[in-house]
Amino acid sequence: MKTITRVIFFTIAALVTLAATPLSANDFPSLSDLRTALESGEKTSAQLVREYRHRIESYNERLNAVTQLSDNALQEAERLDRLRSAGTVLGPLHGIPVLLKDNIDTGDGMANTAGSWLLRENIPADDAFLVRSLRKQGAIILGKANLSEWANFRSTSSSSGWSAVGGQTRNPYDLSRSPCGSSSGSAVAVAAGLVPLAVGTETDGSVTCPAAINGVVGIKPTLGLVSRDGIIPISAHQDTAGPMATTVEGAVALLDAMVGEDPGDPGSIPARGPYRRHLNANGLEGLRIGIVRNLTGYSPKTDAVFEQALETLRAQGATLVDNTNIDTLGDIHAKEFDLLAWEFRDALAEYLETTPVKARSLDALVAANKRARDRELQHFGQEIFIKAQESRGRQEPGFAEEVARLKTLAGEQGIDALLKEHDLDLLVAPTTSPAWKIDLVNGDHYLGSASTPAAVAGYPHITVPMGFVRHLPVGLSFFSGANREDILIAAAYNYEQASGARRAPEIPAGTPRGE
């Protein structure tokens, strides 16, 4: 029960410390600032851990972004400080605190819950491969971030950022609005300066949507660059972890520390890093960029900001080719959900078999949710669970062939075809709409996004802040073919430096209304 008490670890007394003070992240340091402070001796890693923990304890009640803090973080920081003093630096993230989405295994005593009360005692025996990689680079695992429960794969009327473990995550730019999901807490924590870096996961939009809506940078890598070991799954054909930071440089540094070929993941591929070498302030010069108009139109005010972003791309030396539409988009949408549900049924059962959790199938989880309905089903149901469990999983007729066909529609006949036809380097579109109002009665008021083609194809996708619709941030999406992180990073970094579009949130004092 130790972990249960830590999941709900914030006391009223601790949280009212700064309740009368608006939160502004403008004076919070970037990763580059933190590294300089550590290298000069101005700061120690132990000081950083204490400062970020204090910030979380002071503001998390308003945001519900963080669910757990590691008991080992301060001790690890002190160890890394001793190594630095002795002249040993493990990597660019040596002594930097990082939050993990609460669907990633750690072997340090924290539960891996997927936001579900049913997994509150799921204490993994060891770290996920990506967590081991982070630790080898000197990153400090500060704790776990809230998420849309089960990575937003339980109900068709869910509220993004809500979980039975962590409650409703809130957008730091407007506490009444959605943080998107499913990596809600990861994005909010970075945006609000509760941590400098965070890891999210994406099947379709779960890194890029919350990153855009909360005004941070998010990278969904090429499928297989980051091992899927130790991540509570939806689909091996689309799942990947990805980094979040306030800057492209920070996100790329985290990506470099996460990638690596894992013999335990059959889909793992070698990295082509270090990716930080592609941080080019003139990275847009000479590029041919396609404007994907059929990924626009659902939010006219976002489209207006997008037009301004296009002018910045032109001014930086890019040639823009208009109306490079993905004609296969409708066919992709028509089949994606079914295939994800079928695979989820079997992939989740395989993960649960490795855990101490009693419920080891969707049937068992559905029944357990009903028994815990006052906690788990108070706002929305479990229609996706039921649909997935009623299927034959990967034994559905033609499953493998349909997966291959879908990837062809998104990749070879979609993104790749556009790049080839128009001699393009990459594609751009608005990432998604501004944040909608949180609605725990009807669920999300989602309008659209650019995430699906790259998610289904398994191709890289980077979102960067591109401006605001009133007080709400919106993002610009860059995506291209497989393993083209190089060109996307160069373009995104150049755009970020030229536009200066990010503005940190100022969170009003006081606590939002209860759920």
Side-chain angles (χ1 to χ4, degrees):
M1 298 298 288
K2 175 184 175 186
T3 300
I4 302 172
T5 59
R6 241 192 4 246
V7 169
I8 313 178
F9 65 95
F10 300 110
T11 65
I12 301 265
L15 289 160
V16 297
T17 308
L18 299 177
T21 307
L23 169 60
S24 173
N26 286 303
D27 58 349
F28 262 72
S30 67
L31 174 62
S32 180
D33 295 331
L34 291 176
R35 290 181 57 190
T36 298
L38 290 170
E39 290 164 3
S40 69
E42 178 187 347
K43 290 279 188 184
T44 66
S45 295
Q47 286 175 316
L48 291 184
V49 167
R50 290 188 183 99
E51 289 169 5
Y52 281 111
R53 286 188 67 148
H54 176 69
R55 192 165 173 84
I56 291 167
E57 288 164 358
S58 299
Y59 293 108
N60 194 61
E61 187 180 47
R62 272 165 276 171
L63 299 170
N64 282 345
V66 182
T67 56
Q68 302 177 69
L69 289 178
S70 170
D71 288 341
N72 304 323
L74 185 56
Q75 181 180 358
E76 178 64 1
E78 290 169 344
R79 183 185 75 86
L80 291 165
D81 285 334
R82 290 192 296 272
L83 284 177
R84 186 184 292 277
S85 295
T88 298
V89 175
L90 299 179
L93 297 188
H94 186 108
I96 302 294
V98 176
L99 273 179
L100 303 175
K101 185 175 179 179
D102 196 0
N103 64 346
I104 300 171
D105 284 353
T106 62
D108 54 9
M110 289 192 292
N112 192 14
T113 73
S116 171
W117 192 248
L118 308 183
L119 269 61
R120 65 193 183 278
E121 295 181 354
N122 177 30
I123 313 296
D126 55 17
D127 288 337
F129 183 90
L130 77 88
V131 178
R132 294 197 297 276
S133 299
L134 289 174
R135 294 194 200 275
K136 287 177 183 176
Q137 293 289 316
I140 300 168
I141 305 305
L142 187 63
K144 290 292 201 81
N146 201 10
L147 70 159
S148 309
E149 188 173 310
W150 294 107
N152 236 358
F153 214 69
R154 197 194 84 189
S155 173
T156 54
S157 59
S158 63
S159 173
S160 285
W162 183 90
S163 75
V165 165
Q168 177 64 57
T169 310
R170 295 179 182 275
N171 191 306
Y173 290 86
D174 184 333
L175 300 182
S176 72
R177 290 185 180 267
S178 175
C180 198
S182 62
S183 305
S184 311
S186 299
V188 169
V190 168
L194 305 187
V195 71
L197 303 172
V199 178
T201 67
E202 172 161 332
T203 304
D204 185 344
S206 286
V207 166
T208 52
C209 181
I213 272 182
N214 293 286
V216 300
V217 176
I219 301 178
K220 186 206 81 70
T222 297
L223 188 69
L225 273 183
V226 179
S227 171
R228 289 156 293 191
D229 168 70
I231 300 174
I232 297 175
I234 293 177
S235 168
H237 300 289
Q238 292 184 208
D239 291 350
T240 182
M244 295 181 171
T246 55
T247 65
V248 174
E249 180 182 10
V252 170
L254 184 52
L255 178 67
D256 272 331
M258 292 167 60
V259 297
E261 196 168 5
D262 175 13
D265 178 353
S268 181
I269 61 174
R272 301 183 179 185
Y275 293 102
R276 58 184 174 274
R277 73 178 187 271
H278 303 298
L279 294 168
N280 181 359
N282 298 309
L284 285 164
E285 189 171 347
L287 294 186
R288 286 178 57 82
I289 298 176
I291 305 169
V292 187
R293 291 292 178 185
N294 67 337
L295 292 175
T296 69
Y298 52 82
S299 173
K301 291 178 180 177
T302 302
D303 290 346
V305 180
F306 179 56
E307 293 302 322
Q308 296 170 10
L310 296 179
E311 289 305 313
T312 301
L313 298 177
R314 288 190 182 96
Q316 294 302 305
T319 298
L320 303 189
V321 180
D322 213 339
N323 293 309
T324 55
N325 295 335
I326 297 176
D327 295 331
T328 56
L329 195 60
D331 291 334
I332 296 167
H333 284 303
K335 198 62 181 178
E336 181 192 15
F337 178 70
D338 284 345
L339 295 176
L340 292 179
W342 297 349
E343 176 144 24
F344 179 61
R345 176 187 183 273
D346 295 336
L348 183 60
E350 289 164 0
Y351 174 84
L352 292 173
E353 279 297 320
T354 70
T355 73
V357 177
K358 293 179 181 178
R360 301 215 169 169
S361 68
L362 274 175
D363 263 343
L365 291 172
V366 167
N369 278 332
K370 289 178 180 177
R371 290 193 296 271
R373 66 172 61 253
D374 289 346
R375 183 182 295 274
E376 281 288 354
L377 305 180
Q378 57 181 306
H379 298 306
F380 49 83
Q382 51 183 337
E383 310 88 69
I384 297 176
F385 270 22
I386 293 168
K387 173 184 173 63
Q389 184 56 24
E390 289 178 347
S391 78
R392 286 178 279 182
R394 299 185 189 118
Q395 301 307 309
E396 284 282 347
F399 170 74
E401 293 78 8
E402 285 296 301
V403 169
R405 185 180 76 85
L406 195 64
K407 285 197 171 292
T408 298
L409 288 169
E412 182 182 343
Q413 296 176 13
I415 293 171
D416 295 338
L418 279 186
L419 297 175
K420 183 177 181 180
E421 179 184 357
H422 300 283
D423 190 25
L424 302 172
D425 297 293
L426 58 94
L427 304 170
V428 293
T431 307
T432 192
S433 70
W436 51 89
K437 288 284 188 180
I438 293 169
D439 185 348
L440 290 166
V441 176
N442 300 303
D444 286 341
H445 300 275
Y446 173 79
L447 298 176
S449 82
S451 66
T452 296
V456 173
Y459 292 175
H461 177 181
I462 301 180
T463 181
V464 179
M466 74 170 178
F468 288 79
V469 172
R470 297 190 180 177
H471 61 296
L472 300 170
V474 288
L476 175 63
S477 280
F478 299 83
F479 54 105
S480 190
N483 293 302
R484 293 315 312 265
E485 279 81 2
D486 55 350
I487 202 164
L488 297 184
I489 288 166
Y493 182 71
N494 187 169
Y495 173 77
E496 172 194 61
Q497 299 300 301
S499 67
R502 184 174 191 272
R503 184 174 70 243
E506 292 190 3
I507 299 177
T511 303
R513 283 184 166 182
E515 297 165 18

